[in-house]
Every structure is written in structure tokens, then in C-alpha cells.
Amino acid sequence: MADKFAGGVKAGSVDVSMAVRLKKNTDNTPETAVADTSVTSRYWRQGAAAVSITIVNLVSITSAHSDGGWEEVDATNAKGLYRFDVPDAAFATGA
């Protein structure tokens, strides 16, 4: 999975996970304990309308890829860092 994190994702890629860092807008400190139920996301492909992503809770940071998966990396040692599994359709060829 390490070769499929953010940056230079090619068309046709599958099972892409991205690191997302969240900070509080009040004081710019890391935002911890953000549950999947508090997250909304969309992706957009040129020539098409934006598509809503259903966010789902991953059991752990080492879980298999699941489109829309969301999990906090480590609230103590990596405050504000989350894993987000991008839906395969976002990188499908042909757009």
C-alpha cells in the first residue's frame, strides 16, 4: 500500500489511501478523534458532476482498503493524521 499514497496517482490506480491531516480552525492544533460520521467528502472528474463519497469506519489503521474508509492513525503519536481510502472510481481511466 505504501506505493499508492497521495501524489502522482495514475489513471486506473486502485486501492489508493491518502494521509489527511486535520487541524482545528480556532488555534491550528491537531484535530483528534474525528469519527467517520463527522466526515463528508466528494470527488470530481473533469466533464462530470461531483460525486459524494460514503465514509465508512475502518476497524484499524492496518485494515484492507475499503472505498471511503476512514481511520485515525494514532491520536497520541500522530495527532491529527487520518487514513482516507479513495474510491477506485475516482481514478478510473477515461475522464
Side-chain angles (χ1 to χ4, degrees), residues 36-57:
D36 59 301
T37 54
S38 298
V39 177
T40 59
S41 185
R42 299 169 75 77
Y43 69 87
W44 169 78
R45 292 170 49 103
Q46 188 171 355
V51 177
S52 292
I53 299 171
T54 300
I55 305 299
V56 297
N57 183 55

Side-chain angles (χ1 to χ4, degrees), residues 49-66:
V51 177
S52 292
I53 299 171
T54 300
I55 305 299
V56 297
N57 183 55
L58 296 172
V59 174
S60 75
I61 198 64
T62 59
S63 295
H65 182 274
S66 178

